[in-house]
Amino acid sequence: MPHTPYYLIDKSKLLRNMEKIAYVREHSGAKALLALKCFATWSVFDFMSDYMDGTTSSSLHEVKLGRKKFGKETHAYSVAYADSEIDEVIENADKIIFNSISQLNRFADAASGIVRGLRLNPQVSSSSFDLADPARPFSRLGEWDVTKVEAVMDRISGFMIHNNCENADFDLFDNMLGDIETKFGSLLSRVEWVSLGGGIHFTGDNYPLDKFCARLRAFSEKYGVQVYLEPGEASITKSTTLEVTVLDTLFNGKNLAIVDSSIEAHMLDLLIYRETAKIEPNKGDHAYMICGKSCLAGDVFGEFNFANEIRVGDRISIQDAAGYTMVKKNWFNGVGMPSIVIKELDGSERVVREFTFDDYVSSLS
């Protein structure tokens, strides 16, 4: 077994999400693209590609990764493309989606050889975090003025609309899609494809998949469009743990346990959104605050209950550690970066990547 910390991707758990995605594809007619901004661990792309249609990206590097490691359909999107990268983006993409009309007009001719689209902003979303809300006031993410979009319809064949964020409520999705139809219906009927983005938690427990499929199919048939979904978290939810080891325990008004990992370095979204990690079963008479080993005072995974006292050397599994973790991991404090380990369907485990001092050095100058 590798030394902790390491991310452990369990293919049997990943398979549950893949099978639900395959079900939605079959029963709704929608295509599913992996959102690389959330999860880009390409060692499982060969496994995922049997259940998904391709990838979608947010940068030149992600476009190239999707093309080279996942294959199939490759969508390129960026908030803004630079002159120095646009040719390489186009070279590696099947579709290019522009964030603004100005970017579309600037690069439409260069991209005339591939499918072109435009991002729309319906000015409403399901996000509970202003930081992540694509429809926040003065948002730079997409166009909202129908009149302005109508003027460039001859330059595009589809739209991308991303306004779902951690949305596990089908009724909310249904209502927001209805709002999109009200605002942009005159435009939707004039294009060939519409991506509804990510953030729809349709692989979660008890999500009404058949209702979801029926709604997607009705939308597709009403406007005559190919629907795309861009699952990120939905693709990998509950598939991965961050395996850590207790290095020290102390009492400072509460029982504390320090582990060989760090939220700032290895699960950054917990810090950004001030959320607590997940540890299961989180039951018992022994309460501990699980703390990271960096010098940041707030480097804390959360407070949890355990059946037994925690001792140095104990192993702890941090749950649901796939999304926005490996793509954001960093070298803060020079803390050792977690290895990446895959648990195969037969139960065997293999290390697919380890990070060393040389990786740390090469990331700097």
Side-chain angles (χ1 to χ4, degrees):
M1 288 300 298
H3 294 293
T4 58
Y6 61 89
Y7 300 102
L8 178 61
I9 304 171
D10 188 332
K11 276 189 177 179
S12 65
K13 295 178 180 178
L14 183 60
L15 180 60
R16 298 173 197 168
N17 299 323
M18 293 297 100
E19 288 176 338
K20 288 184 179 180
I21 289 172
Y23 183 92
V24 169
R25 290 170 64 213
E26 178 182 355
H27 291 85
S28 72
K31 293 185 176 183
L33 307 174
L34 174 63
L36 296 177
K37 65 181 180 180
C38 173
F39 181 82
T41 305
W42 50 266
S43 292
V44 290
F45 281 3
D46 59 339
F47 180 71
M48 301 175 78
S49 65
D50 288 339
Y51 301 88
M52 303 185 74
D53 296 284
T55 57
T56 187
S57 60
S58 300
S59 66
L60 169 60
H61 286 167
E62 286 187 353
V63 173
K64 292 174 67 176
L65 181 71
R67 171 66 83 196
K68 296 178 185 300
K69 295 295 187 180
F70 199 101
K72 305 184 81 169
E73 203 166 338
T74 306
H75 286 204
Y77 165 78
S78 176
V79 173
Y81 296 107
D83 290 344
S84 59
E85 65 185 5
I86 189 65
D87 289 342
E88 199 170 3
V89 169
I90 293 166
E91 179 184 338
N92 285 280
D94 299 298
K95 286 185 176 68
I96 185 167
I97 299 162
F98 295 100
N99 182 67
S100 67
I101 290 173
S102 60
Q103 282 255 305
L104 169 64
N105 288 335
R106 184 174 178 179
F107 296 121
D109 290 342
S112 60
I114 63 173
V115 176
R116 299 168 302 193
L118 181 67
R119 179 169 183 170
L120 299 181
N121 189 333
Q123 298 181 290
V124 62
S125 85
S126 65
S127 177
S128 56
F129 296 100
D130 179 67
L131 180 66
D133 186 354
R136 64 191 289 184
F138 316 112
S139 173
R140 72 198 193 285
L141 302 174
E143 298 283 356
W144 57 270
D145 189 321
V146 172
T147 301
K148 290 181 178 179
V149 176
E150 284 178 339
V152 296
M153 289 297 291
D154 62 327
R155 315 200 85 175
I156 61 174
S157 64
F159 295 117
M160 188 269 274
I161 305 167
H162 172 53
N163 67 333
N164 287 279
C165 302
E166 297 185 344
N167 185 4
D169 183 341
F170 170 75
D171 290 335
L172 178 56
F173 165 78
D174 182 25
N175 290 336
M176 290 203 306
L177 186 57
D179 181 71
I180 287 169
E181 293 180 275
T182 299
K183 290 176 178 175
F184 300 122
S186 62
L187 301 174
L188 298 175
S189 59
R190 297 170 60 185
V191 294
E192 299 171 6
W193 56 273
V194 175
S195 172
L196 297 177
I200 310 165
H201 199 48
F202 63 90
T203 57
D205 295 337
N206 302 316
Y207 193 89
L209 281 182
D210 290 327
K211 284 185 177 181
F212 183 56
C213 292
R215 184 67 174 94
L216 294 176
R217 185 171 291 282
F219 178 88
S220 173
E221 292 175 351
K222 180 177 180 179
Y223 298 101
V225 295
Q226 172 64 59
V227 171
Y228 286 89
L229 302 173
E230 300 179 6
E233 284 278 6
S235 300
I236 45 76
T237 185
K238 296 184 178 181
S239 69
T240 300
T241 56
L242 174 60
E243 299 294 315
V244 302
T245 298
V246 176
L247 302 179
D248 193 15
T249 60
L250 58 153
F251 181 81
N252 192 8
K254 291 183 178 181
N255 287 312
L256 310 180
I258 299 172
V259 300
D260 57 354
S261 181
S262 161
I263 63 168
E264 182 163 21
H266 306 152
M267 295 189 76
L268 185 58
D269 268 13
L270 295 180
L271 183 66
I272 293 174
Y273 295 106
R274 298 183 179 275
E275 293 188 319
T276 297
K278 300 172 185 175
I279 293 178
E280 296 175 354
N282 196 14
K283 294 179 181 179
D285 297 329
H286 302 275
Y288 285 85
M289 180 183 290
I290 304 301
C291 307
K293 67 175 292 184
S294 81
C295 68
L296 180 71
D299 191 352
V300 175
F301 286 88
E303 297 184 37
F304 308 94
N305 294 310
F306 297 86
N308 303 301
E309 289 186 15
I310 288 180
R311 302 183 185 278
V312 172
D314 283 353
R315 176 72 60 83
I316 296 176
S317 297
I318 310 296
Q319 302 295 311
D320 216 2
Y324 298 99
T325 54
M326 286 170 269
V327 295
K328 290 190 175 187
K329 64 187 185 301
N330 60 71
W331 287 108
F332 179 64
N333 270 195
V335 173
M337 191 172 283
S339 302
I340 300 175
V341 180
I342 295 176
K343 185 175 182 179
E344 301 289 354
L345 295 176
D346 64 5
S348 63
E349 297 182 3
R350 62 186 176 99
V351 180
V352 295
R353 182 64 198 272
E354 292 179 296
F355 299 91
T356 66
F357 171 71
D358 290 339
D359 293 309
Y360 170 59
V361 173
S362 65
S363 71
L364 302 166
S365 62

